[in-house]
mmCIF file of all heavy atoms in Angstrom:
data_model
loop_
_atom_site.group_PDB
_atom_site.id
_atom_site.type_symbol
_atom_site.label_atom_id
_atom_site.label_comp_id
_atom_site.label_asym_id
_atom_site.label_seq_id
_atom_site.Cartn_x
_atom_site.Cartn_y
_atom_site.Cartn_z
ATOM 1 N N GLN A 1 -68.868 43.309 -57.708
ATOM 2 C CA GLN A 1 -67.650 42.753 -57.575
ATOM 3 C C GLN A 1 -67.666 41.199 -57.617
ATOM 4 O O GLN A 1 -66.739 40.452 -57.096
ATOM 5 C CB GLN A 1 -66.974 43.084 -56.212
ATOM 6 C CG GLN A 1 -66.777 44.600 -56.103
ATOM 7 C CD GLN A 1 -66.160 45.207 -54.794
ATOM 8 O OE1 GLN A 1 -66.407 44.527 -53.776
ATOM 9 N NE2 GLN A 1 -65.359 46.131 -54.803
ATOM 10 N N LYS A 2 -68.605 40.682 -58.219
ATOM 11 C CA LYS A 2 -68.673 39.199 -58.537
ATOM 12 C C LYS A 2 -68.149 38.899 -59.903
ATOM 13 O O LYS A 2 -68.048 39.771 -60.695
ATOM 14 C CB LYS A 2 -70.129 38.721 -58.483
ATOM 15 C CG LYS A 2 -70.796 38.924 -57.173
ATOM 16 C CD LYS A 2 -70.249 38.059 -56.126
ATOM 17 C CE LYS A 2 -71.004 38.233 -54.755
ATOM 18 N NZ LYS A 2 -70.478 37.163 -53.703
ATOM 19 N N ILE A 3 -67.774 37.652 -60.217
ATOM 20 C CA ILE A 3 -67.284 37.141 -61.548
ATOM 21 C C ILE A 3 -68.364 36.101 -61.964
ATOM 22 O O ILE A 3 -68.930 35.408 -61.162
ATOM 23 C CB ILE A 3 -65.940 36.722 -61.506
ATOM 24 C CG1 ILE A 3 -65.779 35.589 -60.427
ATOM 25 C CG2 ILE A 3 -64.945 37.781 -61.312
ATOM 26 C CD1 ILE A 3 -64.343 34.943 -60.465
ATOM 27 N N PRO A 4 -68.555 35.968 -63.343
ATOM 28 C CA PRO A 4 -67.963 36.725 -64.375
ATOM 29 C C PRO A 4 -68.511 38.105 -64.778
ATOM 30 O O PRO A 4 -69.599 38.423 -64.357
ATOM 31 C CB PRO A 4 -68.074 35.835 -65.608
ATOM 32 C CG PRO A 4 -69.459 35.217 -65.337
ATOM 33 C CD PRO A 4 -69.455 35.100 -63.801
ATOM 34 N N THR A 5 -67.758 38.853 -65.713
ATOM 35 C CA THR A 5 -68.394 39.965 -66.294
ATOM 36 C C THR A 5 -67.921 39.819 -67.744
ATOM 37 O O THR A 5 -66.838 39.503 -68.073
ATOM 38 C CB THR A 5 -67.901 41.335 -65.744
ATOM 39 O OG1 THR A 5 -68.461 41.334 -64.383
ATOM 40 C CG2 THR A 5 -68.325 42.539 -66.553
ATOM 41 N N LEU A 6 -68.871 40.204 -68.683
ATOM 42 C CA LEU A 6 -68.594 40.180 -70.236
ATOM 43 C C LEU A 6 -68.512 41.679 -70.588
ATOM 44 O O LEU A 6 -69.399 42.421 -70.331
ATOM 45 C CB LEU A 6 -69.581 39.391 -70.892
ATOM 46 C CG LEU A 6 -69.534 39.521 -72.429
ATOM 47 C CD1 LEU A 6 -68.282 38.955 -73.018
ATOM 48 C CD2 LEU A 6 -70.843 38.990 -73.113
ATOM 49 N N GLN A 7 -67.517 42.025 -71.398
ATOM 50 C CA GLN A 7 -67.538 43.172 -72.213
ATOM 51 C C GLN A 7 -67.610 42.883 -73.688
ATOM 52 O O GLN A 7 -66.826 42.093 -74.150
ATOM 53 C CB GLN A 7 -66.281 44.164 -71.897
ATOM 54 C CG GLN A 7 -66.305 44.707 -70.552
ATOM 55 C CD GLN A 7 -64.905 45.551 -70.414
ATOM 56 O OE1 GLN A 7 -63.957 45.026 -69.882
ATOM 57 N NE2 GLN A 7 -64.943 46.789 -70.901
ATOM 58 N N ASP A 8 -68.604 43.440 -74.334
ATOM 59 C CA ASP A 8 -68.752 43.202 -75.675
ATOM 60 C C ASP A 8 -68.876 44.652 -76.369
ATOM 61 O O ASP A 8 -70.041 45.216 -76.465
ATOM 62 C CB ASP A 8 -69.979 42.391 -76.053
ATOM 63 C CG ASP A 8 -70.076 42.141 -77.515
ATOM 64 O OD1 ASP A 8 -69.264 42.618 -78.330
ATOM 65 O OD2 ASP A 8 -71.006 41.377 -77.967
ATOM 66 N N GLY A 9 -67.797 45.227 -76.852
ATOM 67 C CA GLY A 9 -67.876 46.555 -77.271
ATOM 68 C C GLY A 9 -68.194 47.431 -76.109
ATOM 69 O O GLY A 9 -67.602 47.508 -75.061
ATOM 70 N N GLU A 10 -69.311 48.186 -76.235
ATOM 71 C CA GLU A 10 -69.714 49.119 -75.239
ATOM 72 C C GLU A 10 -70.686 48.389 -74.154
ATOM 73 O O GLU A 10 -70.952 48.964 -73.113
ATOM 74 C CB GLU A 10 -70.553 50.290 -75.806
ATOM 75 C CG GLU A 10 -69.752 51.128 -76.691
ATOM 76 C CD GLU A 10 -68.461 51.836 -75.928
ATOM 77 O OE1 GLU A 10 -68.778 52.303 -74.938
ATOM 78 O OE2 GLU A 10 -67.528 51.825 -76.592
ATOM 79 N N LEU A 11 -71.076 47.243 -74.466
ATOM 80 C CA LEU A 11 -72.011 46.516 -73.522
ATOM 81 C C LEU A 11 -71.159 45.833 -72.520
ATOM 82 O O LEU A 11 -70.116 45.141 -72.691
ATOM 83 C CB LEU A 11 -72.770 45.395 -74.237
ATOM 84 C CG LEU A 11 -73.626 44.576 -73.413
ATOM 85 C CD1 LEU A 11 -74.831 45.289 -72.800
ATOM 86 C CD2 LEU A 11 -74.191 43.255 -74.303
ATOM 87 N N VAL A 12 -71.568 46.053 -71.256
ATOM 88 C CA VAL A 12 -71.109 45.354 -70.050
ATOM 89 C C VAL A 12 -72.124 44.618 -69.408
ATOM 90 O O VAL A 12 -73.162 45.150 -69.106
ATOM 91 C CB VAL A 12 -70.416 46.377 -69.057
ATOM 92 C CG1 VAL A 12 -69.894 45.776 -67.791
ATOM 93 C CG2 VAL A 12 -69.349 47.217 -69.705
ATOM 94 N N LEU A 13 -71.907 43.208 -69.229
ATOM 95 C CA LEU A 13 -72.927 42.382 -68.771
ATOM 96 C C LEU A 13 -72.343 41.451 -67.658
ATOM 97 O O LEU A 13 -71.309 40.870 -67.840
ATOM 98 C CB LEU A 13 -73.557 41.648 -70.021
ATOM 99 C CG LEU A 13 -74.826 40.739 -69.811
ATOM 100 C CD1 LEU A 13 -75.931 41.700 -69.451
ATOM 101 C CD2 LEU A 13 -75.010 39.904 -71.020
ATOM 102 N N SER A 14 -73.078 41.282 -66.592
ATOM 103 C CA SER A 14 -72.748 40.380 -65.528
ATOM 104 C C SER A 14 -73.931 39.304 -65.371
ATOM 105 O O SER A 14 -74.856 39.415 -66.097
ATOM 106 C CB SER A 14 -72.511 41.160 -64.334
ATOM 107 O OG SER A 14 -73.655 41.730 -63.701
ATOM 108 N N GLU A 15 -73.696 38.482 -64.485
ATOM 109 C CA GLU A 15 -74.617 37.226 -64.311
ATOM 110 C C GLU A 15 -74.372 36.256 -65.380
ATOM 111 O O GLU A 15 -74.653 36.538 -66.374
ATOM 112 C CB GLU A 15 -76.062 37.662 -64.105
ATOM 113 C CG GLU A 15 -76.299 38.752 -63.012
ATOM 114 C CD GLU A 15 -75.922 38.255 -61.535
ATOM 115 O OE1 GLU A 15 -76.020 36.981 -61.384
ATOM 116 O OE2 GLU A 15 -75.529 39.115 -60.780
ATOM 117 N N SER A 16 -73.877 35.007 -64.856
ATOM 118 C CA SER A 16 -73.534 34.024 -65.899
ATOM 119 C C SER A 16 -74.543 33.535 -66.727
ATOM 120 O O SER A 16 -74.518 33.427 -67.986
ATOM 121 C CB SER A 16 -72.852 32.912 -65.130
ATOM 122 O OG SER A 16 -73.794 32.228 -64.184
ATOM 123 N N ALA A 17 -75.742 33.430 -66.178
ATOM 124 C CA ALA A 17 -76.901 33.006 -67.011
ATOM 125 C C ALA A 17 -77.355 34.043 -68.110
ATOM 126 O O ALA A 17 -77.623 33.694 -69.177
ATOM 127 C CB ALA A 17 -78.154 32.641 -66.156
ATOM 128 N N ALA A 18 -77.268 35.396 -67.648
ATOM 129 C CA ALA A 18 -77.541 36.392 -68.644
ATOM 130 C C ALA A 18 -76.461 36.394 -69.769
ATOM 131 O O ALA A 18 -76.805 36.728 -70.904
ATOM 132 C CB ALA A 18 -77.624 37.704 -67.928
ATOM 133 N N ILE A 19 -75.329 36.229 -69.350
ATOM 134 C CA ILE A 19 -74.164 36.268 -70.401
ATOM 135 C C ILE A 19 -74.419 35.101 -71.396
ATOM 136 O O ILE A 19 -74.345 35.275 -72.511
ATOM 137 C CB ILE A 19 -72.885 36.087 -69.684
ATOM 138 C CG1 ILE A 19 -72.487 37.300 -68.854
ATOM 139 C CG2 ILE A 19 -71.712 35.779 -70.731
ATOM 140 C CD1 ILE A 19 -71.197 37.298 -68.032
ATOM 141 N N VAL A 20 -74.747 33.800 -70.878
ATOM 142 C CA VAL A 20 -75.021 32.778 -71.810
ATOM 143 C C VAL A 20 -76.176 33.128 -72.810
ATOM 144 O O VAL A 20 -76.090 32.761 -73.906
ATOM 145 C CB VAL A 20 -75.203 31.491 -70.923
ATOM 146 C CG1 VAL A 20 -75.833 30.381 -71.896
ATOM 147 C CG2 VAL A 20 -73.921 30.989 -70.277
ATOM 148 N N ASN A 21 -77.292 33.531 -72.165
ATOM 149 C CA ASN A 21 -78.362 33.986 -73.008
ATOM 150 C C ASN A 21 -78.043 35.019 -73.943
ATOM 151 O O ASN A 21 -78.523 34.953 -75.160
ATOM 152 C CB ASN A 21 -79.649 34.318 -72.147
ATOM 153 C CG ASN A 21 -80.234 33.196 -71.438
ATOM 154 O OD1 ASN A 21 -80.003 32.051 -71.849
ATOM 155 N ND2 ASN A 21 -81.154 33.575 -70.566
ATOM 156 N N TYR A 22 -77.309 36.091 -73.627
ATOM 157 C CA TYR A 22 -76.862 37.057 -74.648
ATOM 158 C C TYR A 22 -76.061 36.484 -75.683
ATOM 159 O O TYR A 22 -76.380 36.729 -76.853
ATOM 160 C CB TYR A 22 -76.142 38.144 -73.798
ATOM 161 C CG TYR A 22 -75.465 39.064 -74.824
ATOM 162 C CD1 TYR A 22 -76.254 40.046 -75.594
ATOM 163 C CD2 TYR A 22 -74.182 39.065 -74.971
ATOM 164 C CE1 TYR A 22 -75.641 40.849 -76.409
ATOM 165 C CE2 TYR A 22 -73.528 39.878 -75.843
ATOM 166 C CZ TYR A 22 -74.260 40.776 -76.535
ATOM 167 O OH TYR A 22 -73.615 41.724 -77.503
ATOM 168 N N LEU A 23 -75.152 35.687 -75.392
ATOM 169 C CA LEU A 23 -74.231 35.228 -76.372
ATOM 170 C C LEU A 23 -74.858 34.325 -77.429
ATOM 171 O O LEU A 23 -74.727 34.395 -78.669
ATOM 172 C CB LEU A 23 -73.026 34.386 -75.703
ATOM 173 C CG LEU A 23 -72.044 35.303 -74.999
ATOM 174 C CD1 LEU A 23 -71.043 34.343 -74.153
ATOM 175 C CD2 LEU A 23 -71.328 36.196 -75.859
ATOM 176 N N THR A 24 -75.751 33.362 -76.878
ATOM 177 C CA THR A 24 -76.372 32.496 -77.742
ATOM 178 C C THR A 24 -77.525 33.268 -78.722
ATOM 179 O O THR A 24 -77.748 32.919 -79.687
ATOM 180 C CB THR A 24 -76.994 31.334 -77.027
ATOM 181 O OG1 THR A 24 -77.826 31.776 -76.012
ATOM 182 C CG2 THR A 24 -76.094 30.438 -76.431
ATOM 183 N N THR A 25 -78.107 34.246 -78.020
ATOM 184 C CA THR A 25 -79.120 35.128 -78.730
ATOM 185 C C THR A 25 -78.483 35.946 -79.905
ATOM 186 O O THR A 25 -78.936 35.915 -80.967
ATOM 187 C CB THR A 25 -79.920 36.008 -77.727
ATOM 188 O OG1 THR A 25 -80.526 35.183 -76.788
ATOM 189 C CG2 THR A 25 -80.914 36.882 -78.426
ATOM 190 N N ALA A 26 -77.404 36.561 -79.460
ATOM 191 C CA ALA A 26 -76.720 37.544 -80.343
ATOM 192 C C ALA A 26 -75.844 36.816 -81.461
ATOM 193 O O ALA A 26 -75.799 37.356 -82.546
ATOM 194 C CB ALA A 26 -75.830 38.503 -79.495
ATOM 195 N N TYR A 27 -75.208 35.724 -81.052
ATOM 196 C CA TYR A 27 -74.128 35.201 -81.929
ATOM 197 C C TYR A 27 -74.467 33.664 -82.283
ATOM 198 O O TYR A 27 -73.566 33.103 -82.875
ATOM 199 C CB TYR A 27 -72.743 35.378 -81.402
ATOM 200 C CG TYR A 27 -72.451 36.778 -81.100
ATOM 201 C CD1 TYR A 27 -72.409 37.252 -79.800
ATOM 202 C CD2 TYR A 27 -72.147 37.609 -82.132
ATOM 203 C CE1 TYR A 27 -72.038 38.708 -79.655
ATOM 204 C CE2 TYR A 27 -71.712 38.974 -81.956
ATOM 205 C CZ TYR A 27 -71.783 39.442 -80.652
ATOM 206 O OH TYR A 27 -71.412 40.711 -80.456
ATOM 207 N N GLY A 28 -75.534 33.098 -81.751
ATOM 208 C CA GLY A 28 -75.682 31.724 -81.797
ATOM 209 C C GLY A 28 -76.342 31.249 -83.018
ATOM 210 O O GLY A 28 -76.408 29.948 -83.277
ATOM 211 N N ALA A 29 -76.908 32.006 -83.905
ATOM 212 C CA ALA A 29 -77.815 31.423 -84.996
ATOM 213 C C ALA A 29 -76.975 30.632 -85.994
ATOM 214 O O ALA A 29 -77.435 29.618 -86.401
ATOM 215 C CB ALA A 29 -78.374 32.744 -85.695
ATOM 216 N N GLN A 30 -75.777 31.087 -86.264
ATOM 217 C CA GLN A 30 -74.958 30.428 -87.315
ATOM 218 C C GLN A 30 -74.688 28.884 -86.834
ATOM 219 O O GLN A 30 -74.330 28.065 -87.679
ATOM 220 C CB GLN A 30 -73.718 31.042 -87.742
ATOM 221 C CG GLN A 30 -72.564 31.140 -86.690
ATOM 222 C CD GLN A 30 -71.474 31.969 -87.264
ATOM 223 O OE1 GLN A 30 -71.632 32.941 -87.918
ATOM 224 N NE2 GLN A 30 -70.270 31.482 -86.876
ATOM 225 N N ASN A 31 -74.588 28.688 -85.530
ATOM 226 C CA ASN A 31 -74.344 27.410 -85.006
ATOM 227 C C ASN A 31 -75.523 26.673 -84.439
ATOM 228 O O ASN A 31 -75.538 25.762 -83.758
ATOM 229 C CB ASN A 31 -73.214 27.440 -83.884
ATOM 230 C CG ASN A 31 -71.964 27.834 -84.452
ATOM 231 O OD1 ASN A 31 -71.630 27.499 -85.586
ATOM 232 N ND2 ASN A 31 -71.151 28.381 -83.641
ATOM 233 N N ASN A 32 -76.828 27.256 -84.749
ATOM 234 C CA ASN A 32 -77.994 26.770 -84.263
ATOM 235 C C ASN A 32 -78.071 26.620 -82.789
ATOM 236 O O ASN A 32 -78.524 25.675 -82.266
ATOM 237 C CB ASN A 32 -78.310 25.398 -84.852
ATOM 238 C CG ASN A 32 -79.814 25.085 -84.848
ATOM 239 O OD1 ASN A 32 -80.620 25.973 -84.744
ATOM 240 N ND2 ASN A 32 -80.155 23.796 -84.857
#
C-alpha cells in the first residue's frame, strides 16, 4: 500500500528505485 506503483502492460512494479532502473533499462537506450 505504498506509492509509487508502475503498470507497464502486464508488468506491475513498485519501489521507486526499481521503477527508475526498469524504465531506463527498458526504454532509455534511445536517449542514452
Side-chain angles (χ1 to χ4, degrees):
Q1 299 179 325
K2 300 290 186 177
I3 55 174
T5 294
L6 169 69
Q7 288 181 267
D8 182 3
E10 297 299 313
L11 175 68
V12 178
L13 191 63
S14 61
E15 302 300 328
S16 60
I19 291 170
V20 169
N21 282 350
Y22 168 72
L23 291 172
T24 54
T25 300
Y27 300 107
Q30 69 182 38
N31 294 333
N32 200 26

